[in-house]
mmCIF file of all heavy atoms in Angstrom:
data_model
loop_
_atom_site.group_PDB
_atom_site.id
_atom_site.type_symbol
_atom_site.label_atom_id
_atom_site.label_comp_id
_atom_site.label_asym_id
_atom_site.label_seq_id
_atom_site.Cartn_x
_atom_site.Cartn_y
_atom_site.Cartn_z
ATOM 1 N N PHE O 609 116.308 87.126 65.567
ATOM 2 C CA PHE O 609 117.456 87.809 64.867
ATOM 3 C C PHE O 609 118.436 88.068 66.022
ATOM 4 O O PHE O 609 119.388 88.905 65.794
ATOM 5 C CB PHE O 609 117.098 89.035 64.159
ATOM 6 C CG PHE O 609 116.251 88.783 63.050
ATOM 7 C CD1 PHE O 609 114.912 88.723 63.027
ATOM 8 C CD2 PHE O 609 116.775 88.511 61.750
ATOM 9 C CE1 PHE O 609 114.074 88.536 62.044
ATOM 10 C CE2 PHE O 609 116.016 88.252 60.651
ATOM 11 C CZ PHE O 609 114.776 88.216 60.804
ATOM 12 N N GLY O 610 118.192 87.646 67.294
ATOM 13 C CA GLY O 610 119.155 88.041 68.298
ATOM 14 C C GLY O 610 118.810 89.304 68.904
ATOM 15 O O GLY O 610 117.792 90.012 68.484
ATOM 16 N N GLY O 611 119.513 89.643 70.032
ATOM 17 C CA GLY O 611 119.179 90.978 70.672
ATOM 18 C C GLY O 611 118.181 90.758 71.725
ATOM 19 O O GLY O 611 117.753 89.635 72.093
ATOM 20 N N LYS O 612 117.677 91.871 72.233
ATOM 21 C CA LYS O 612 116.660 91.838 73.417
ATOM 22 C C LYS O 612 115.320 91.466 72.876
ATOM 23 O O LYS O 612 114.867 91.978 71.843
ATOM 24 C CB LYS O 612 116.720 93.249 73.966
ATOM 25 C CG LYS O 612 115.767 93.321 75.194
ATOM 26 C CD LYS O 612 115.713 94.734 75.805
ATOM 27 C CE LYS O 612 114.849 94.791 77.004
ATOM 28 N NZ LYS O 612 114.792 96.225 77.496
ATOM 29 N N LYS O 613 114.653 90.525 73.582
ATOM 30 C CA LYS O 613 113.393 90.111 73.211
ATOM 31 C C LYS O 613 112.361 90.358 74.324
ATOM 32 O O LYS O 613 111.155 90.491 74.062
ATOM 33 C CB LYS O 613 113.335 88.550 72.881
ATOM 34 C CG LYS O 613 114.323 88.167 71.703
ATOM 35 C CD LYS O 613 114.163 86.660 71.542
ATOM 36 C CE LYS O 613 115.071 86.280 70.257
ATOM 37 N NZ LYS O 613 116.479 86.628 70.489
ATOM 38 N N LYS O 614 112.797 90.351 75.602
ATOM 39 C CA LYS O 614 111.879 90.515 76.694
ATOM 40 C C LYS O 614 111.314 92.044 76.652
ATOM 41 O O LYS O 614 112.096 92.944 76.539
ATOM 42 C CB LYS O 614 112.632 90.303 78.010
ATOM 43 C CG LYS O 614 111.654 90.403 79.191
ATOM 44 C CD LYS O 614 112.431 90.002 80.471
ATOM 45 C CE LYS O 614 111.642 90.218 81.638
ATOM 46 N NZ LYS O 614 112.264 89.893 82.980
ATOM 47 N N GLY O 615 110.073 92.118 76.706
ATOM 48 C CA GLY O 615 109.442 93.386 76.773
ATOM 49 C C GLY O 615 109.492 94.084 75.390
ATOM 50 O O GLY O 615 109.248 95.255 75.193
ATOM 51 N N SER O 616 109.644 93.314 74.174
ATOM 52 C CA SER O 616 109.562 93.898 72.830
ATOM 53 C C SER O 616 108.131 94.298 72.465
ATOM 54 O O SER O 616 108.087 95.116 71.491
ATOM 55 C CB SER O 616 110.195 92.804 71.950
ATOM 56 O OG SER O 616 109.374 91.740 71.906
ATOM 57 N N LYS O 617 107.016 93.752 73.163
ATOM 58 C CA LYS O 617 105.818 94.084 72.867
ATOM 59 C C LYS O 617 105.173 95.047 73.764
ATOM 60 O O LYS O 617 103.938 95.401 73.741
ATOM 61 C CB LYS O 617 104.854 92.859 72.831
ATOM 62 C CG LYS O 617 105.222 91.798 71.789
ATOM 63 C CD LYS O 617 104.299 90.626 71.754
ATOM 64 C CE LYS O 617 104.648 89.732 70.656
ATOM 65 N NZ LYS O 617 103.707 88.501 70.605
ATOM 66 N N TRP O 618 105.996 95.713 74.731
ATOM 67 C CA TRP O 618 105.380 96.658 75.610
ATOM 68 C C TRP O 618 105.123 97.896 74.818
ATOM 69 O O TRP O 618 105.699 98.282 73.854
ATOM 70 C CB TRP O 618 106.458 96.976 76.792
ATOM 71 C CG TRP O 618 106.647 95.846 77.678
ATOM 72 C CD1 TRP O 618 105.843 94.730 77.729
ATOM 73 C CD2 TRP O 618 107.502 95.738 78.814
ATOM 74 N NE1 TRP O 618 106.330 93.862 78.828
ATOM 75 C CE2 TRP O 618 107.365 94.445 79.456
ATOM 76 C CE3 TRP O 618 108.468 96.591 79.233
ATOM 77 C CZ2 TRP O 618 108.040 94.082 80.528
ATOM 78 C CZ3 TRP O 618 109.224 96.215 80.289
ATOM 79 C CH2 TRP O 618 109.040 95.015 81.005
ATOM 80 N N ASN O 619 104.174 98.619 75.383
ATOM 81 C CA ASN O 619 103.813 99.984 74.769
ATOM 82 C C ASN O 619 104.790 101.022 75.091
ATOM 83 O O ASN O 619 105.455 100.909 76.250
ATOM 84 C CB ASN O 619 102.386 100.393 75.257
ATOM 85 C CG ASN O 619 101.431 100.118 74.208
ATOM 86 O OD1 ASN O 619 101.657 99.940 73.086
ATOM 87 N ND2 ASN O 619 100.088 100.103 74.647
ATOM 88 N N THR O 620 105.018 101.796 74.287
ATOM 89 C CA THR O 620 105.811 103.024 74.531
ATOM 90 C C THR O 620 104.975 104.319 74.402
ATOM 91 O O THR O 620 103.759 104.273 74.098
ATOM 92 C CB THR O 620 106.989 103.076 73.384
ATOM 93 O OG1 THR O 620 106.424 103.205 72.191
ATOM 94 C CG2 THR O 620 107.878 101.890 73.563
ATOM 95 N N LYS O 621 105.638 105.537 74.743
ATOM 96 C CA LYS O 621 104.904 106.769 74.506
ATOM 97 C C LYS O 621 104.398 107.036 73.198
ATOM 98 O O LYS O 621 103.272 107.352 72.994
ATOM 99 C CB LYS O 621 105.703 107.834 75.029
ATOM 100 C CG LYS O 621 105.082 109.178 75.185
ATOM 101 C CD LYS O 621 106.105 110.215 75.731
ATOM 102 C CE LYS O 621 105.309 111.630 75.808
ATOM 103 N NZ LYS O 621 106.154 112.631 76.327
ATOM 104 N N GLU O 622 105.214 106.664 72.245
ATOM 105 C CA GLU O 622 104.787 106.803 70.876
ATOM 106 C C GLU O 622 103.693 106.067 70.415
ATOM 107 O O GLU O 622 102.684 106.348 69.713
ATOM 108 C CB GLU O 622 105.997 106.732 69.904
ATOM 109 C CG GLU O 622 107.104 107.889 70.043
ATOM 110 C CD GLU O 622 107.981 107.569 71.180
ATOM 111 O OE1 GLU O 622 107.799 106.577 71.930
ATOM 112 O OE2 GLU O 622 108.710 108.604 71.597
ATOM 113 N N SER O 623 103.895 104.626 70.726
ATOM 114 C CA SER O 623 102.831 103.679 70.308
ATOM 115 C C SER O 623 101.446 103.934 71.076
ATOM 116 O O SER O 623 100.396 103.773 70.598
ATOM 117 C CB SER O 623 103.241 102.322 70.563
ATOM 118 O OG SER O 623 103.377 102.077 71.964
ATOM 119 N N PHE O 624 101.639 104.498 72.352
ATOM 120 C CA PHE O 624 100.328 104.736 73.189
ATOM 121 C C PHE O 624 99.616 106.015 72.510
ATOM 122 O O PHE O 624 98.379 106.057 72.412
ATOM 123 C CB PHE O 624 100.687 105.094 74.510
ATOM 124 C CG PHE O 624 99.594 105.602 75.403
ATOM 125 C CD1 PHE O 624 98.742 104.546 75.922
ATOM 126 C CD2 PHE O 624 99.437 106.847 75.804
ATOM 127 C CE1 PHE O 624 97.588 104.930 76.708
ATOM 128 C CE2 PHE O 624 98.286 107.245 76.549
ATOM 129 C CZ PHE O 624 97.435 106.244 77.018
ATOM 130 N N ASN O 625 100.350 106.988 72.081
ATOM 131 C CA ASN O 625 99.703 108.155 71.442
ATOM 132 C C ASN O 625 99.352 107.971 70.042
ATOM 133 O O ASN O 625 98.577 108.707 69.449
ATOM 134 C CB ASN O 625 100.636 109.372 71.630
ATOM 135 C CG ASN O 625 101.041 109.770 72.946
ATOM 136 O OD1 ASN O 625 100.090 109.615 73.816
ATOM 137 N ND2 ASN O 625 102.217 110.219 73.287
ATOM 138 N N ASP O 626 99.732 106.776 69.321
ATOM 139 C CA ASP O 626 99.406 106.563 67.950
ATOM 140 C C ASP O 626 98.074 105.891 67.878
ATOM 141 O O ASP O 626 97.898 104.834 68.240
ATOM 142 C CB ASP O 626 100.551 105.746 67.389
ATOM 143 C CG ASP O 626 100.264 105.533 65.896
ATOM 144 O OD1 ASP O 626 99.377 106.327 65.310
ATOM 145 O OD2 ASP O 626 100.999 104.716 65.203
ATOM 146 N N VAL O 627 97.101 106.608 67.433
ATOM 147 C CA VAL O 627 95.655 105.991 67.295
ATOM 148 C C VAL O 627 95.206 105.839 65.845
ATOM 149 O O VAL O 627 94.096 105.827 65.490
ATOM 150 C CB VAL O 627 94.758 106.856 68.129
ATOM 151 C CG1 VAL O 627 94.822 106.881 69.604
ATOM 152 C CG2 VAL O 627 94.721 108.359 67.469
ATOM 153 N N SER O 628 96.289 105.812 64.970
ATOM 154 C CA SER O 628 95.857 105.673 63.570
ATOM 155 C C SER O 628 95.229 104.443 63.182
ATOM 156 O O SER O 628 94.534 104.278 62.216
ATOM 157 C CB SER O 628 97.147 106.002 62.658
ATOM 158 O OG SER O 628 98.170 104.960 62.970
ATOM 159 N N SER O 629 95.528 103.415 63.835
ATOM 160 C CA SER O 629 94.994 102.072 63.612
ATOM 161 C C SER O 629 93.736 101.762 64.324
ATOM 162 O O SER O 629 93.115 100.637 64.329
ATOM 163 C CB SER O 629 96.003 100.957 63.839
ATOM 164 O OG SER O 629 96.292 100.878 65.186
ATOM 165 N N PHE O 630 93.094 102.744 65.076
ATOM 166 C CA PHE O 630 91.945 102.429 65.873
ATOM 167 C C PHE O 630 90.772 102.315 65.043
ATOM 168 O O PHE O 630 90.414 103.274 64.062
ATOM 169 C CB PHE O 630 91.641 103.637 66.857
ATOM 170 C CG PHE O 630 90.486 103.505 67.699
ATOM 171 C CD1 PHE O 630 90.295 102.555 68.701
ATOM 172 C CD2 PHE O 630 89.389 104.320 67.274
ATOM 173 C CE1 PHE O 630 89.142 102.495 69.426
ATOM 174 C CE2 PHE O 630 88.203 104.178 68.169
ATOM 175 C CZ PHE O 630 88.185 103.255 69.161
ATOM 176 N N GLN O 631 89.849 101.344 65.113
ATOM 177 C CA GLN O 631 88.569 101.157 64.351
ATOM 178 C C GLN O 631 87.433 101.184 65.364
ATOM 179 O O GLN O 631 87.329 100.152 66.114
ATOM 180 C CB GLN O 631 88.670 99.873 63.478
ATOM 181 C CG GLN O 631 89.744 100.030 62.440
ATOM 182 C CD GLN O 631 89.890 98.751 61.637
ATOM 183 O OE1 GLN O 631 88.976 97.821 61.769
ATOM 184 N NE2 GLN O 631 90.809 98.660 60.664
ATOM 185 N N SER O 632 86.629 102.093 65.237
ATOM 186 C CA SER O 632 85.438 102.103 66.186
ATOM 187 C C SER O 632 84.522 100.995 66.077
ATOM 188 O O SER O 632 83.905 100.435 67.082
ATOM 189 C CB SER O 632 84.733 103.399 65.980
ATOM 190 O OG SER O 632 84.151 103.550 64.712
ATOM 191 N N LYS O 633 84.202 100.596 64.744
ATOM 192 C CA LYS O 633 83.283 99.441 64.630
ATOM 193 C C LYS O 633 83.674 98.169 65.264
ATOM 194 O O LYS O 633 83.011 97.391 65.955
ATOM 195 C CB LYS O 633 83.083 99.155 63.167
ATOM 196 C CG LYS O 633 82.224 100.401 62.541
ATOM 197 C CD LYS O 633 82.034 100.051 61.039
ATOM 198 C CE LYS O 633 81.245 101.233 60.430
ATOM 199 N NZ LYS O 633 80.932 101.009 58.876
ATOM 200 N N VAL O 634 85.002 97.891 65.131
ATOM 201 C CA VAL O 634 85.553 96.715 65.718
ATOM 202 C C VAL O 634 85.596 96.806 67.224
ATOM 203 O O VAL O 634 85.434 95.855 67.931
ATOM 204 C CB VAL O 634 86.928 96.433 65.057
ATOM 205 C CG1 VAL O 634 87.609 95.186 65.679
ATOM 206 C CG2 VAL O 634 86.879 96.158 63.575
ATOM 207 N N ALA O 635 85.902 97.994 67.681
ATOM 208 C CA ALA O 635 86.059 98.160 69.188
ATOM 209 C C ALA O 635 84.714 98.119 69.830
ATOM 210 O O ALA O 635 84.633 97.478 70.975
ATOM 211 C CB ALA O 635 86.691 99.569 69.469
ATOM 212 N N HIS O 636 83.624 98.411 69.139
ATOM 213 C CA HIS O 636 82.252 98.454 69.795
ATOM 214 C C HIS O 636 81.507 97.246 69.293
ATOM 215 O O HIS O 636 80.185 97.297 69.304
ATOM 216 C CB HIS O 636 81.492 99.749 69.465
ATOM 217 C CG HIS O 636 82.284 100.853 70.122
ATOM 218 N ND1 HIS O 636 83.139 101.696 69.575
ATOM 219 C CD2 HIS O 636 82.069 101.499 71.336
ATOM 220 C CE1 HIS O 636 83.502 102.670 70.197
ATOM 221 N NE2 HIS O 636 82.879 102.548 71.439
ATOM 222 N N ASN O 637 82.136 96.160 68.808
ATOM 223 C CA ASN O 637 81.503 94.961 68.368
ATOM 224 C C ASN O 637 80.424 95.242 67.281
ATOM 225 O O ASN O 637 79.242 94.626 67.330
ATOM 226 C CB ASN O 637 80.786 94.347 69.569
ATOM 227 C CG ASN O 637 80.590 92.787 69.374
ATOM 228 O OD1 ASN O 637 81.069 92.282 68.403
ATOM 229 N ND2 ASN O 637 79.735 92.165 70.193
ATOM 230 N N LYS O 638 80.720 96.121 66.250
ATOM 231 C CA LYS O 638 79.762 96.441 65.366
ATOM 232 C C LYS O 638 80.260 96.027 63.888
ATOM 233 O O LYS O 638 79.774 96.257 62.878
ATOM 234 C CB LYS O 638 79.583 97.890 65.186
ATOM 235 C CG LYS O 638 78.723 98.484 66.565
ATOM 236 C CD LYS O 638 78.574 99.832 66.406
ATOM 237 C CE LYS O 638 77.718 100.293 67.666
ATOM 238 N NZ LYS O 638 77.505 101.792 67.505
#
């Protein structure tokens, strides 16, 4: 859509502190 694309997937302070999508079973291969 135009605009800045470089670094669009970098983490920010808000995304780093957001752990709502964390799943322990998937993270520990369970």
